[in-house]
Coordinates of all heavy atoms in Angstrom, one line a residue:
M1 N 11.3 15.3 -35.6 CA 11.7 16.2 -36.4 C 13.2 15.8 -36.9 O 14.0 15.5 -35.9 CB 11.7 17.7 -36.0 CG 12.1 18.8 -36.7 SD 11.0 19.0 -38.2 CE 9.5 19.6 -37.3
Y2 N 13.6 16.0 -38.1 CA 15.0 15.7 -38.5 C 15.6 17.0 -39.1 O 15.0 17.7 -39.8 CB 14.9 14.5 -39.6 CG 14.4 13.3 -39.0 CD1 13.0 13.1 -39.1 CD2 15.2 12.3 -38.4 CE1 12.5 11.9 -38.6 CE2 14.7 11.2 -38.0 CZ 13.3 11.0 -38.0 OH 12.8 9.8 -37.5
R3 N 16.7 17.1 -38.8 CA 17.5 18.4 -39.2 C 18.8 18.1 -39.9 O 19.6 17.2 -39.5 CB 17.8 19.3 -38.0 CG 18.4 20.7 -38.4 CD 18.3 21.7 -37.2 NE 19.1 21.3 -36.1 CZ 20.5 21.4 -36.1 NH1 21.1 22.0 -37.0 NH2 21.1 21.0 -35.0
I4 N 19.0 18.6 -41.0 CA 20.2 18.4 -41.9 C 21.2 19.3 -41.3 O 21.1 20.5 -40.9 CB 20.0 18.9 -43.3 CG1 18.9 18.0 -44.0 CG2 21.4 18.8 -44.1 CD1 18.5 18.5 -45.4
R5 N 22.5 18.6 -41.2 CA 23.7 19.4 -40.8 C 24.8 19.1 -41.7 O 25.0 17.9 -42.1 CB 24.2 18.8 -39.4 CG 23.6 19.6 -38.2 CD 24.2 19.2 -36.9 NE 25.6 18.7 -37.1 CZ 26.2 17.9 -36.1 NH1 25.7 17.7 -35.0 NH2 27.5 17.5 -36.3
I6 N 25.5 20.2 -42.3 CA 26.6 19.9 -43.1 C 27.8 20.2 -42.3 O 28.0 21.2 -41.7 CB 26.6 20.9 -44.3 CG1 25.3 20.8 -45.1 CG2 27.8 20.6 -45.2 CD1 25.1 19.6 -45.8
D7 N 28.7 19.2 -42.2 CA 30.0 19.4 -41.3 C 30.9 20.2 -42.3 O 31.5 19.6 -43.2 CB 30.5 18.0 -41.0 CG 31.8 18.2 -40.2 OD1 32.5 19.3 -40.3 OD2 32.2 17.2 -39.5
S8 N 31.0 21.4 -42.1 CA 31.8 22.3 -43.1 C 33.3 21.9 -42.9 O 34.0 22.3 -43.9 CB 31.6 23.8 -42.7 OG 32.0 24.1 -41.3
H9 N 33.8 21.4 -41.9 CA 35.2 20.9 -41.9 C 35.5 19.8 -42.7 O 36.6 19.5 -43.1 CB 35.6 20.6 -40.4 CG 35.5 21.8 -39.5 ND1 36.3 22.8 -39.6 CD2 34.7 22.1 -38.5 CE1 36.0 23.7 -38.6 NE2 35.0 23.3 -38.0
H10 N 34.4 19.0 -43.1 CA 34.8 17.8 -43.9 C 34.2 17.9 -45.3 O 34.5 17.0 -46.1 CB 34.1 16.6 -43.2 CG 34.9 16.1 -42.0 ND1 34.6 16.5 -40.7 CD2 36.1 15.4 -41.9 CE1 35.5 16.1 -39.9 NE2 36.4 15.4 -40.6
C11 N 33.2 18.7 -45.6 CA 32.6 18.8 -47.0 C 33.6 19.2 -47.9 O 34.5 20.2 -47.6 CB 31.5 19.9 -47.0 SG 30.8 20.2 -48.6
Q12 N 33.8 18.5 -49.0 CA 34.7 18.8 -50.0 C 34.1 19.2 -51.3 O 34.8 19.2 -52.3 CB 35.6 17.6 -50.3 CG 36.5 17.2 -49.1 CD 37.5 18.3 -48.8 OE1 38.2 18.7 -49.8 NE2 37.7 18.6 -47.5
G13 N 32.8 19.4 -51.3 CA 32.1 19.9 -52.5 C 31.8 18.9 -53.5 O 31.6 19.2 -54.7
H14 N 31.7 17.6 -53.2 CA 31.4 16.6 -54.1 C 30.0 16.7 -54.8 O 29.8 16.1 -55.9 CB 31.4 15.1 -53.4 CG 32.9 14.9 -53.0 ND1 34.0 14.7 -53.8 CD2 33.3 14.7 -51.7 CE1 35.0 14.4 -53.1 NE2 34.7 14.3 -51.8
A15 N 29.1 17.3 -54.2 CA 27.7 17.6 -54.6 C 26.8 16.4 -54.8 O 25.9 16.5 -55.6 CB 27.8 18.4 -55.9
R16 N 27.2 15.3 -54.3 CA 26.3 14.1 -54.4 C 25.0 14.4 -53.7 O 24.0 13.9 -54.1 CB 26.9 12.8 -53.8 CG 28.1 12.4 -54.7 CD 28.7 11.1 -54.3 NE 29.9 10.8 -54.9 CZ 30.5 9.7 -54.6 NH1 30.1 8.8 -53.7 NH2 31.7 9.4 -55.2
C17 N 25.0 15.2 -52.6 CA 23.8 15.5 -51.8 C 22.9 16.2 -52.7 O 21.6 16.0 -52.6 CB 24.2 16.3 -50.6 SG 25.3 17.6 -50.9
L18 N 23.5 17.1 -53.6 CA 22.6 18.0 -54.4 C 21.7 17.0 -55.3 O 20.6 17.4 -55.6 CB 23.5 18.9 -55.2 CG 22.8 19.8 -56.2 CD1 21.8 20.9 -55.5 CD2 23.8 20.5 -57.1
S19 N 22.3 15.9 -55.8 CA 21.5 15.1 -56.7 C 20.3 14.5 -56.1 O 19.3 14.2 -56.7 CB 22.4 14.0 -57.4 OG 22.8 13.1 -56.3
F20 N 20.3 14.2 -54.7 CA 19.1 13.7 -54.1 C 18.2 14.8 -53.5 O 17.1 14.5 -53.4 CB 19.7 12.8 -52.9 CG 20.5 11.6 -53.3 CD1 21.9 11.7 -53.2 CD2 19.8 10.6 -54.0 CE1 22.6 10.5 -53.6 CE2 20.7 9.4 -54.4 CZ 22.0 9.5 -54.3
L21 N 18.7 15.9 -53.3 CA 17.9 17.0 -52.7 C 18.1 18.3 -53.4 O 18.7 19.3 -52.9 CB 18.3 17.1 -51.2 CG 18.0 15.9 -50.3 CD1 18.9 16.0 -49.0 CD2 16.6 15.8 -50.0
P22 N 17.8 18.3 -54.7 CA 18.0 19.6 -55.4 C 17.3 20.9 -55.0 O 17.8 21.9 -55.2 CB 17.6 19.2 -56.9 CG 16.7 18.0 -56.6 CD 17.1 17.3 -55.4
E23 N 16.2 20.6 -54.3 CA 15.4 21.8 -53.8 C 15.9 22.3 -52.4 O 15.5 23.3 -51.9 CB 14.1 21.5 -53.7 CG 13.3 20.9 -55.0 CD 13.3 21.9 -56.2 OE1 13.2 23.1 -55.8 OE2 13.6 21.5 -57.3
T24 N 16.9 21.5 -51.8 CA 17.2 21.8 -50.5 C 18.6 22.3 -50.3 O 19.0 23.3 -49.6 CB 17.0 20.5 -49.6 OG1 15.8 20.0 -49.7 CG2 17.4 20.7 -48.2
V25 N 19.6 21.6 -51.1 CA 21.0 21.9 -50.9 C 21.4 23.1 -51.8 O 21.0 23.2 -52.9 CB 21.9 20.7 -51.3 CG1 23.3 21.0 -51.2 CG2 21.5 19.4 -50.4
D26 N 22.2 24.0 -51.1 CA 22.8 25.1 -51.9 C 24.2 25.0 -51.7 O 24.8 24.2 -51.0 CB 22.1 26.4 -51.2 CG 22.1 27.5 -52.1 OD1 22.8 27.5 -53.2 OD2 21.6 28.6 -51.8
F27 N 25.0 25.9 -52.3 CA 26.4 26.0 -52.3 C 27.0 27.4 -52.0 O 26.4 28.4 -52.6 CB 27.2 25.4 -53.5 CG 26.9 23.9 -53.6 CD1 25.7 23.3 -54.1 CD2 27.9 23.0 -53.1 CE1 25.6 22.0 -54.2 CE2 27.7 21.7 -53.1 CZ 26.5 21.2 -53.7
D28 N 28.0 27.4 -51.2 CA 28.5 28.8 -50.9 C 29.4 29.2 -52.1 O 29.6 28.4 -53.0 CB 29.2 28.8 -49.5 CG 30.5 27.9 -49.4 OD1 31.0 27.6 -50.5 OD2 30.9 27.7 -48.4
D29 N 30.1 30.4 -52.0 CA 30.8 30.8 -53.1 C 32.2 30.0 -53.3 O 32.7 30.1 -54.4 CB 31.3 32.3 -52.7 CG 30.1 33.2 -52.8 OD1 29.1 32.8 -53.3 OD2 30.2 34.3 -52.2
E30 N 32.5 29.2 -52.3 CA 33.7 28.3 -52.5 C 33.3 26.9 -52.9 O 34.2 26.1 -53.1 CB 34.5 28.4 -51.2 CG 35.0 29.7 -50.9 CD 35.8 29.8 -49.7 OE1 35.5 29.0 -48.7 OE2 36.8 30.7 -49.4
G31 N 32.0 26.7 -53.2 CA 31.7 25.3 -53.7 C 31.3 24.3 -52.6 O 31.3 23.1 -52.9
Y32 N 31.2 24.8 -51.3 CA 30.8 23.8 -50.4 C 29.4 23.9 -50.0 O 28.6 24.9 -50.2 CB 31.6 24.2 -49.0 CG 33.0 24.0 -49.2 CD1 33.9 25.2 -49.2 CD2 33.7 22.8 -49.4 CE1 35.3 25.1 -49.4 CE2 35.1 22.8 -49.6 CZ 35.9 23.8 -49.6 OH 37.1 23.8 -49.8
A33 N 28.8 22.7 -49.8 CA 27.3 22.6 -49.4 C 26.9 23.5 -48.2 O 27.6 23.5 -47.3 CB 26.9 21.2 -49.2
Q34 N 25.8 24.0 -48.4 CA 25.0 24.6 -47.3 C 23.6 24.4 -47.4 O 23.1 24.2 -48.5 CB 25.4 26.1 -47.1 CG 25.2 26.9 -48.3 CD 25.6 28.4 -48.2 OE1 26.4 28.7 -47.3 NE2 25.1 29.3 -49.0
V35 N 22.9 24.4 -46.4 CA 21.4 24.2 -46.3 C 20.8 25.4 -45.6 O 21.1 25.6 -44.4 CB 21.0 22.9 -45.7 CG1 19.4 22.8 -45.7 CG2 21.6 21.7 -46.5
P36 N 20.0 26.2 -46.3 CA 19.4 27.3 -45.6 C 18.6 26.8 -44.4 O 17.9 25.8 -44.5 CB 18.5 28.0 -46.6 CG 19.0 27.5 -48.0 CD 19.6 26.2 -47.7
E37 N 18.6 27.5 -43.3 CA 17.9 27.2 -42.1 C 16.4 26.9 -42.4 O 15.9 25.8 -41.9 CB 17.9 28.4 -41.2 CG 17.3 28.0 -39.7 CD 18.0 27.0 -39.0 OE1 19.2 26.8 -39.2 OE2 17.4 26.4 -38.2
A38 N 15.8 27.5 -43.3 CA 14.3 27.3 -43.6 C 14.1 25.9 -44.3 O 13.0 25.4 -44.2 CB 13.8 28.4 -44.4
K39 N 15.1 25.4 -44.8 CA 15.0 24.0 -45.5 C 15.7 23.0 -44.8 O 15.7 21.9 -45.3 CB 15.5 24.2 -47.0 CG 14.9 25.2 -47.8 CD 15.4 25.2 -49.3 CE 14.6 26.1 -50.1 NZ 15.1 26.1 -51.5
S40 N 16.2 23.2 -43.6 CA 17.1 22.2 -42.9 C 16.1 21.2 -42.2 O 16.6 20.1 -41.9 CB 18.0 22.8 -42.1 OG 17.5 23.6 -40.9
R41 N 14.9 21.5 -41.7 CA 14.1 20.7 -41.0 C 13.1 20.0 -41.8 O 12.4 20.5 -42.6 CB 13.4 21.6 -40.0 CG 14.4 22.0 -38.8 CD 13.6 22.8 -37.7 NE 14.5 22.9 -36.6 CZ 15.5 23.9 -36.5 NH1 15.7 24.7 -37.5 NH2 16.2 23.9 -35.5
H42 N 13.0 18.6 -41.5 CA 12.1 17.7 -42.2 C 11.3 16.9 -41.1 O 11.9 16.5 -40.2 CB 12.8 16.8 -43.2 CG 13.6 17.5 -44.1 ND1 13.1 17.6 -45.5 CD2 14.6 18.4 -44.2 CE1 13.9 18.3 -46.2 NE2 14.9 18.8 -45.4
A43 N 9.9 16.8 -41.4 CA 9.2 16.1 -40.5 C 9.4 14.6 -40.5 O 9.3 13.9 -39.5 CB 7.7 16.3 -40.9
E44 N 9.9 14.1 -41.6 CA 10.1 12.6 -41.7 C 11.5 12.4 -42.4 O 12.1 13.2 -43.1 CB 9.2 12.0 -42.7 CG 7.7 12.1 -42.2 CD 6.8 11.5 -43.2 OE1 7.2 11.0 -44.3 OE2 5.6 11.5 -43.0
M45 N 12.1 11.3 -42.0 CA 13.4 10.8 -42.6 C 13.0 10.1 -43.9 O 12.5 9.0 -44.0 CB 14.0 9.8 -41.7 CG 15.4 9.3 -42.1 SD 16.7 10.6 -42.0 CE 18.0 9.8 -42.4
T46 N 13.2 10.9 -45.0 CA 12.8 10.3 -46.3 C 14.0 9.5 -47.0 O 15.2 9.6 -46.5 CB 12.5 11.6 -47.2 OG1 13.7 12.3 -47.5 CG2 11.4 12.4 -46.6
D47 N 13.6 8.9 -48.1 CA 14.6 8.2 -48.8 C 15.7 9.1 -49.3 O 16.9 8.7 -49.3 CB 14.0 7.4 -50.0 CG 13.2 6.2 -49.5 OD1 13.5 5.6 -48.4 OD2 12.5 5.5 -50.3
A48 N 15.2 10.2 -49.8 CA 16.3 11.2 -50.4 C 17.2 11.7 -49.2 O 18.5 11.8 -49.5 CB 15.6 12.5 -50.9
L49 N 16.8 11.9 -48.0 CA 17.7 12.2 -46.9 C 18.6 11.1 -46.7 O 19.8 11.2 -46.5 CB 16.9 12.6 -45.6 CG 16.1 13.9 -45.7 CD1 15.3 14.1 -44.6 CD2 17.1 15.0 -45.7
R50 N 18.1 9.9 -46.5 CA 18.9 8.7 -46.3 C 20.0 8.5 -47.5 O 21.2 8.2 -47.2 CB 18.1 7.4 -46.3 CG 17.3 7.2 -45.0 CD 16.8 5.8 -44.8 NE 15.9 5.7 -43.8 CZ 14.6 5.9 -44.0 NH1 14.1 6.2 -45.3 NH2 13.8 5.8 -43.0
Q51 N 19.6 8.8 -48.6 CA 20.6 8.6 -49.8 C 21.7 9.7 -49.8 O 22.7 9.5 -50.0 CB 19.7 8.6 -51.1 CG 18.9 7.5 -51.4 CD 19.7 6.3 -51.7 OE1 20.7 6.3 -52.1 NE2 18.9 5.1 -51.8
A52 N 21.2 10.9 -49.4 CA 22.2 11.9 -49.3 C 23.2 11.6 -48.2 O 24.4 11.9 -48.4 CB 21.4 13.2 -49.0
V53 N 22.8 11.1 -47.1 CA 23.7 10.7 -46.1 C 24.6 9.6 -46.4 O 25.9 9.7 -46.4 CB 23.0 10.3 -44.7 CG1 23.9 9.6 -43.7 CG2 22.1 11.5 -44.2
A54 N 24.0 8.6 -47.1 CA 24.8 7.3 -47.5 C 25.9 7.7 -48.5 O 26.8 7.0 -48.7 CB 23.9 6.3 -47.9
N55 N 25.5 8.6 -49.4 CA 26.4 8.9 -50.6 C 27.4 10.0 -50.4 O 28.2 10.2 -51.4 CB 25.4 9.1 -51.7 CG 24.9 7.9 -52.4 OD1 25.5 7.2 -53.1 ND2 23.6 7.5 -51.9
C56 N 27.4 10.6 -49.3 CA 28.5 11.6 -49.1 C 29.8 10.9 -48.7 O 29.9 10.3 -47.7 CB 28.1 12.6 -48.0 SG 29.5 13.8 -47.7
P57 N 30.8 11.0 -49.6 CA 32.0 10.3 -49.3 C 32.8 10.8 -48.1 O 33.7 10.1 -47.7 CB 32.8 10.5 -50.6 CG 32.2 11.7 -51.3 CD 30.8 11.7 -50.9
E58 N 32.5 12.1 -47.8 CA 33.2 12.6 -46.6 C 32.4 12.6 -45.3 O 33.0 13.0 -44.3 CB 33.5 14.1 -46.8 CG 34.2 14.5 -48.2 CD 35.6 13.8 -48.3 OE1 36.2 13.5 -47.3 OE2 36.0 13.5 -49.5
R59 N 31.3 11.8 -45.4 CA 30.4 11.8 -44.2 C 30.0 13.2 -43.6 O 29.9 13.4 -42.4 CB 31.1 11.0 -43.0 CG 31.3 9.5 -43.4 CD 30.0 8.7 -43.5 NE 30.2 7.4 -43.7 CZ 29.9 6.7 -45.0 NH1 29.3 7.5 -45.8 NH2 30.1 5.4 -45.1
A60 N 30.0 14.1 -44.5 CA 29.8 15.5 -44.1 C 28.3 15.8 -44.0 O 27.9 16.8 -43.3 CB 30.5 16.6 -45.0
F61 N 27.6 15.1 -44.9 CA 26.1 15.3 -44.9 C 25.5 14.5 -43.8 O 25.5 13.3 -43.9 CB 25.6 15.1 -46.4 CG 24.2 15.5 -46.4 CD1 23.9 16.7 -47.1 CD2 23.1 14.7 -46.0 CE1 22.6 17.1 -47.3 CE2 21.7 15.1 -46.1 CZ 21.4 16.4 -46.8
Q62 N 24.9 15.1 -42.9 CA 24.3 14.4 -41.7 C 22.9 14.9 -41.5 O 22.5 16.0 -41.8 CB 25.2 14.7 -40.5 CG 26.7 14.4 -40.7 CD 27.5 15.1 -39.6 OE1 27.1 15.8 -38.7 NE2 28.8 14.8 -39.7
V63 N 22.1 13.9 -40.9 CA 20.8 14.2 -40.4 C 20.7 13.7 -39.0 O 21.0 12.7 -38.7 CB 19.7 13.5 -41.4 CG1 18.4 13.8 -40.8 CG2 19.9 13.9 -42.8
V64 N 20.2 14.8 -38.2 CA 20.2 14.6 -36.8 C 18.7 14.5 -36.4 O 17.9 15.4 -37.0 CB 21.0 15.5 -35.9 CG1 22.5 15.2 -36.2 CG2 20.6 16.9 -36.2
E65 N 18.3 13.6 -35.5 CA 17.0 13.7 -35.1 C 16.8 14.7 -33.8 O 17.7 14.6 -33.0 CB 16.5 12.3 -34.6 CG 14.9 12.2 -34.3 CD 14.5 10.6 -34.2 OE1 15.4 9.8 -34.1 OE2 13.3 10.5 -33.9
E66 N 15.8 15.5 -33.7 CA 15.5 16.4 -32.7 C 14.4 16.2 -31.9 O 13.4 15.6 -32.5 CB 15.6 17.8 -33.3 CG 16.9 18.2 -34.0 CD 16.8 19.7 -34.4 OE1 15.8 20.2 -34.8 OE2 17.9 20.3 -34.3
Ligands
LIG101 FE1 29.7 18.2 -49.3 FE2 29.2 15.6 -49.1 FE3 27.5 17.2 -50.3 S1 31.3 16.4 -49.5 S2 28.8 18.8 -51.2 S3 28.1 17.3 -48.2 S4 28.1 15.1 -51.0

């Protein structure tokens, strides 16, 4: 199982993650990424997850294996 984590201390709201995971990533009122708990877990490490990790310039979008 893979779980998305957004490092809220480093997210600057670049929104690149949104372009790879439009159904998953949401934003708070200040424009920082957040992922609802119900959408944070994924059975597989998909290309979209890899791309979102690779394209976050702040390294704030992370996927951890559980
Ligand atoms: Fe934040 Fe990185 Fe997405 S800075 S909005 S987690 S691309």
Side-chain angles (χ1 to χ4, degrees):
M1 186 68 70
Y2 297 88
R3 187 166 60 84
I4 297 170
R5 269 187 26 193
I6 306 291
D7 182 341
S8 59
H9 295 293
H10 287 98
C11 177
Q12 295 295 315
H14 294 294
R16 294 189 190 175
C17 53
L18 178 67
S19 65
F20 297 105
L21 297 161
E23 307 295 323
T24 303
V25 177
D26 205 350
F27 287 85
D28 66 17
D29 292 342
E30 296 177 332
Y32 298 112
Q34 59 184 15
V35 175
E37 182 67 23
K39 295 183 176 179
S40 68
R41 289 185 164 77
H42 296 256
E44 296 178 358
M45 184 68 173
T46 63
D47 283 347
L49 288 171
R50 281 195 195 89
Q51 292 287 349
V53 170
N55 284 278
C56 176
E58 309 296 336
R59 300 282 184 254
F61 190 97
Q62 304 164 0
V63 177
V64 295
E65 189 171 5
E66 296 185 324

